Amino acid sequence: MPNQHQPGTELAPERTRLAPPPMYKVVLLNDDFTPMDFVIIVLERFFHMDREHATQVMLKVHTEGRGVCGVYSKDVASTKVVQVTEYAKVHQHPLQCVMEENQ
């Protein structure tokens, strides 16, 4: 039995709005043992900052206890946290890196 097209039976396209995915801040936390130079290296290597910007973020971590390295999608932020944590561990530094939902 062939399908016959009858007038008025077409579905109108629905317009749905998708919310953008939540973004996450990657944050370095201060400690009393990780050298400032190492923090700058981490910021340059994993967050692609130039020396001046990396130094500014490092000083924020040092003086305020925390500094935002960037804002990323959940998967990218999670990967960066793991990369920084592993890199610090390999170099025997207790540097902590966390992610927080960007509000």
Side-chain angles (χ1 to χ4, degrees):
M1 183 185 285
N3 289 339
Q4 293 181 352
H5 177 70
Q6 297 191 13
T9 60
E10 292 181 17
L11 293 177
E14 287 187 31
R15 293 190 180 221
T16 57
R17 287 196 162 255
L18 297 177
M23 300 297 280
Y24 291 81
K25 294 185 283 191
V26 177
V27 180
L28 288 180
L29 305 177
N30 190 40
D31 64 71
D32 293 332
F33 304 102
T34 304
M36 293 178 184
D37 289 341
F38 183 78
V39 174
I40 291 172
I41 291 168
V42 165
L43 292 166
E44 291 173 335
R45 180 175 183 147
F46 296 103
F47 300 97
H48 309 289
M49 294 182 189
D50 61 30
R51 177 65 57 138
E52 184 177 336
H53 188 204
T55 301
Q56 290 172 352
V57 173
M58 176 276 297
L59 289 172
K60 188 167 181 100
V61 172
H62 180 68
T63 58
E64 297 179 19
R66 56 192 283 122
V68 176
C69 306
V71 179
Y72 306 94
S73 66
K74 186 175 185 177
D75 291 341
V76 173
S78 177
T79 299
K80 290 197 178 282
V81 168
V82 169
Q83 289 174 331
V84 170
T85 303
E86 289 298 316
Y87 188 75
K89 189 182 293 186
V90 165
H91 289 86
Q92 300 179 345
H93 295 298
L95 182 63
Q96 294 293 305
C97 185
V98 297
M99 61 189 261
E100 303 171 347
E101 191 165 353
N102 193 30
Q103 311 249 342

